[in-house]
């Protein structure tokens, strides 16, 4: 069983502040790292897919970086807004037919 | 275009009862997946189907069976439900299971086993 760890488990941030959190994964047999955003009572939705060491992806105020050699990815949110409140999941693909191994998520709460 | 649909949305079972969770996708995807989500745990893969006609065990297959009825539909069956199977079940699909491909998730089925 692959070990995909996310930290912190939960995070409270003031509206307008920037924040970041971490996903660590096996540095061997790396194929891709996925980030998903999961709002309460909805289903997970894809944010980014990252495949190359040094990859940096951006969508609006959210960005992510990837270090495959040391096995970690950071997700950054700039100027947090209440609508950013969600659980952010990372998922590792090691090339197996079974697809993705998910971390437990970082639960982000933006306080007005 | 509905994406991935799941039925039912919510179900209560007694220990020992059986039921089938239904999943369908209209995106012409080849690969489909069943996950369970428990408090404090990540999404854990129960079974997957890389293509029509094939199914394989994931991380937590015990107590479940699956059927890939056709390209669109992938069902999950609990033959004799146990309280440990109380969970939220998500179905997902992807185009061909490639490592860069996004998985698209259904809305989930909340199952309570008493």
């Amino acid at each position: 069983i692959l070990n995909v760890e996310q930290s912190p488990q939960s995070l409270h941030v003031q509206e307008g502040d920037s924040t970041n959190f971490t996903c660590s994964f096996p540095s061997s047999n790396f194929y891709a790292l996925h980030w998903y955003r999961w709002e309460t009572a909805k289903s997970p939705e894809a944010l980014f897919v990252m495949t190359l060491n040094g990859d940096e992806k951006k969508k609006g105020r959210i960005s992510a970086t990837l270090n495959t050699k040391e096995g970690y990815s950071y997700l950054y949110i700039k100027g947090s807004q209440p609508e950013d409140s969600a659980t952010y999941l990372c998922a590792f693909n090691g090339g197996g037919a079974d697809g993705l191994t998910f971390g437990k998520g970082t639960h982000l709460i933006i306080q007005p | 275009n509905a994406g991935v649909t799941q039925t039912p949305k919510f179900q209560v079972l007694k220990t020992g009862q059986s039921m089938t969770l239904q999943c369908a996708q209209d995106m012409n995807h080849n690969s489909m997946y069943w996950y369970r989500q428990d408090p404090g745990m990540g999404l854990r893969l129960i079974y997957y189907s890389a293509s029509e006609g094939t199914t394989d065990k994931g991380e937590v297959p015990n107590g479940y069976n699956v059927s890939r009825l056709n390209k669109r539909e992938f069902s999950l069956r609990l033959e004799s439900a146990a309280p440990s199977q109380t969970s939220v079940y998500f179905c997902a699909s992807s185009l061909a299971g490639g490592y860069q491909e996004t998985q698209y998730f259904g809305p989930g089925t909340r199952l309570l086993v008493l």
Side-chain angles (χ1 to χ4, degrees):
Chain A
I1 296 173
L2 299 169
N3 201 22
V4 179
E5 300 282 345
Q6 290 189 248
S7 63
Q9 196 172 351
S10 66
L11 191 54
H12 287 70
V13 174
Q14 284 295 123
E15 183 177 352
D17 287 351
S18 297
T19 188
N20 65 84
F21 29 92
T22 308
C23 172
S24 61
F25 52 84
S27 54
S28 57
N29 293 327
F30 176 86
Y31 278 69
L33 195 282
H34 297 239
W35 280 100
Y36 285 80
R37 172 192 156 84
W38 191 1
E39 290 182 70
T40 302
K42 295 187 178 180
S43 41
E45 291 185 346
L47 281 172
F48 305 115
V49 180
M50 309 174 81
T51 57
L52 298 175
N53 186 45
D55 251 357
E56 191 165 331
K57 299 271 177 132
K58 189 173 180 181
K59 184 185 282 190
R61 293 178 292 97
I62 304 177
S63 60
T65 60
L66 180 68
N67 183 324
T68 61
K69 294 185 189 306
E70 295 181 44
Y72 66 83
S73 174
Y74 293 134
L75 190 82
Y76 299 90
I77 302 178
K78 187 177 176 182
S80 304
Q81 299 297 309
E83 60 264 29
D84 296 328
S85 295
T87 296
Y88 292 83
L89 299 172
C90 70
F92 171 81
N93 188 308
D98 56 347
L100 301 174
T101 300
F102 283 85
K104 295 178 183 179
T106 292
H107 183 51
L108 177 65
I109 298 167
I110 307 300
Q111 297 168 324
Chain B
N1 200 351
V4 180
T5 57
Q6 291 182 237
T7 55
K9 284 191 169 62
F10 181 71
Q11 184 73 45
V12 180
L13 290 179
K14 293 181 181 175
T15 296
Q17 287 185 317
S18 62
M19 79 162 293
T20 299
L21 283 65
Q22 307 285 356
C23 173
Q25 50 88 14
D26 62 1
M27 296 177 281
N28 202 32
H29 283 175
N30 289 298
S31 298
M32 297 184 75
Y33 312 84
W34 275 106
Y35 293 92
R36 61 179 288 174
Q37 167 70 40
D38 301 295
M41 308 290 290
L43 288 162
R44 293 184 293 167
L45 185 66
I46 306 171
Y47 270 92
Y48 65 100
S49 170
S51 60
E52 186 179 354
T54 70
T55 61
D56 284 286
K57 294 178 181 179
E59 182 186 348
V60 289
N62 291 345
Y64 305 96
N65 285 302
V66 290
S67 296
R68 184 73 183 267
L69 303 166
N70 47 54
K71 192 171 185 179
R72 289 187 64 246
E73 297 172 288
F74 188 37
S75 62
L76 178 73
R77 182 158 178 86
L78 287 71
E79 290 291 351
S80 178
S84 60
Q85 294 179 303
T86 293
S87 188
V88 182
Y89 292 86
F90 286 94
C91 177
S93 71
S94 66
L95 182 59
Y99 63 92
Q100 291 192 61
E101 290 174 12
T102 294
Q103 288 187 13
Y104 295 85
F105 287 82
T109 294
R110 291 186 178 275
L111 176 66
L112 175 62
V113 183
L114 300 174

